[in-house]
């Protein structure tokens, strides 16, 4: 149950997880897909255009994006917390797909640790391993976001509301990326439904 920072490096990608007494409390990444902006868009919190405009303004004002979005009324404090948590979880899960690279653990001063969260590392690992297995299977069937998905008329009735919504949109083939941009439920859930 260590306290510190686990940093993983794969080429130009650097991701860090922060732990307090063995529990995950924050994450950081230089990969664009892990940014708060991308998480907010990918999971349907805010549309792309107002989000990018707010990001530019926050950067010019040297303000944290999340706090600025709350000030603008685009999200509330509770939503910011939930999407920050989602961002940290997504960084954690993405590290399970690193197949090479370097990693190191450092023990910083306790006051240096960002710690608004306390996520069960054990539960994240259990969920993450299952999710990684599922994603490998999905990616073996659909290897790229540019793959086209088409509706098969003889397909059985879709069990979930999200699956039914996806099928209703598939009047003509669409790429996985187009479906992701339209539904904004996150990569994993979309792959599950497709």
């Amino acid at each position: 149950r260590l306290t510190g920072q686990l940093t993983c490096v794969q080429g130009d990608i650097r991701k860090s997880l922060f732990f307090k007494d063995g529990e995950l409390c924050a994450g950081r990444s230089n990969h664009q897909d892990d940014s708060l902006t991308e998480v907010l868009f990918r999971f349907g919190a805010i549309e792309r255009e107002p989000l990018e405009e707010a990001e530019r303004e926050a950067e010019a004002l040297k303000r944290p994006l999340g706090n600025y979005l709350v000030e603008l009324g685009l999200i509330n404090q509770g939503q910011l917390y939930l999407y920050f948590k989602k961002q940290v979880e997504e960084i954690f899960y993405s590290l399970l797909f690193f197949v090479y690279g370097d990693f190191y653990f450092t023990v910083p001063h306790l006051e240096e640790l960002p710690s608004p969260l306390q996520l069960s590392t054990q539960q994240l690992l259990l969920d993450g391993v299952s999710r990684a297995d599922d994603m490998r299977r999905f990616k073996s069937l659909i290897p790229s976001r540019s793959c086209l998905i088409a509706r098969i008329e003889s397909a059985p009735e879709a069990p979930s509301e999200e699956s039914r919504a996806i099928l209703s949109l598939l009047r003509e083939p669409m790429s996985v990326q187009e479906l992701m941009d339209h539904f904004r439920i996150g990569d994993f859930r979309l792959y599950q439904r497709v």
Side-chain angles (χ1 to χ4, degrees), residues 32-33 35-42 45-61 63 65 68-69 72 74 181 184:
Q32 180 61 33
D33 286 352
S35 70
L36 183 60
T37 301
E38 282 304 309
V39 170
L40 288 165
F41 175 75
R42 202 166 54 239
I46 305 173
E47 294 297 323
R48 174 78 66 198
E49 190 175 308
L51 188 54
E52 288 177 349
E53 182 180 333
E55 184 177 38
R56 285 189 298 275
E57 291 171 3
E59 192 174 305
L61 296 168
R63 304 281 317 280
L65 176 62
Y68 190 65
L69 292 170
L72 292 175
L74 293 173
D181 290 346
R184 297 172 52 204

Side-chain angles (χ1 to χ4, degrees), residues 148-158 163 166-174 193-194:
L148 294 177
I149 305 296
R151 180 180 181 149
I152 299 172
E153 291 305 323
S154 63
E157 182 64 28
S163 296
I166 291 168
L167 283 174
S168 71
L169 186 67
L170 287 174
R171 289 178 176 69
E172 57 185 62
M174 295 179 73
R193 302 306 184 257
V194 171

Side-chain angles (χ1 to χ4, degrees), residues 48-186:
R48 174 78 66 198
E49 190 175 308
L51 188 54
E52 288 177 349
E53 182 180 333
E55 184 177 38
R56 285 189 298 275
E57 291 171 3
E59 192 174 305
L61 296 168
K62 297 187 184 330
R63 304 281 317 280
L65 176 62
N67 293 340
Y68 190 65
L69 292 170
V70 170
E71 283 179 30
L72 292 175
L74 293 173
I75 58 174
N76 62 42
Q77 195 68 42
Q79 290 169 313
L80 176 60
Y81 174 82
L82 291 175
Y83 285 105
F84 176 67
K85 178 181 175 213
K86 177 62 77 178
Q87 178 188 28
V88 172
E89 290 171 344
E90 292 295 309
I91 291 169
F92 180 91
Y93 293 141
S94 71
L95 282 171
L96 297 177
F97 290 95
F98 272 31
V99 292
Y100 68 89
D102 298 310
F103 68 93
Y104 53 92
F105 191 85
T106 55
V107 181
H109 298 291
L110 187 59
E111 57 273 2
E112 292 177 15
L113 277 177
S115 58
L117 299 175
Q118 186 173 358
L119 304 175
S120 168
T121 303
Q122 183 176 5
Q123 189 61 51
L124 283 168
L125 278 170
L126 290 172
D127 293 345
V129 168
S130 173
R131 184 177 174 153
D133 286 343
D134 287 346
M135 281 303 286
R136 282 186 193 91
R137 185 171 50 85
F138 299 150
K139 296 278 185 157
S140 73
L141 299 170
I142 307 169
S144 164
R145 290 181 178 186
S146 63
C147 286
L148 294 177
I149 305 296
R151 180 180 181 149
I152 299 172
E153 291 305 323
S154 63
E157 182 64 28
S160 74
E161 186 176 325
E162 285 174 344
S163 296
R164 286 192 297 275
I166 291 168
L167 283 174
S168 71
L169 186 67
L170 287 174
R171 289 178 176 69
E172 57 185 62
M174 295 179 73
S175 72
V176 173
Q177 186 63 57
E178 289 171 321
L179 290 170
M180 286 179 178
D181 290 346
H182 180 81
F183 286 103
R184 297 172 52 204
I185 56 175

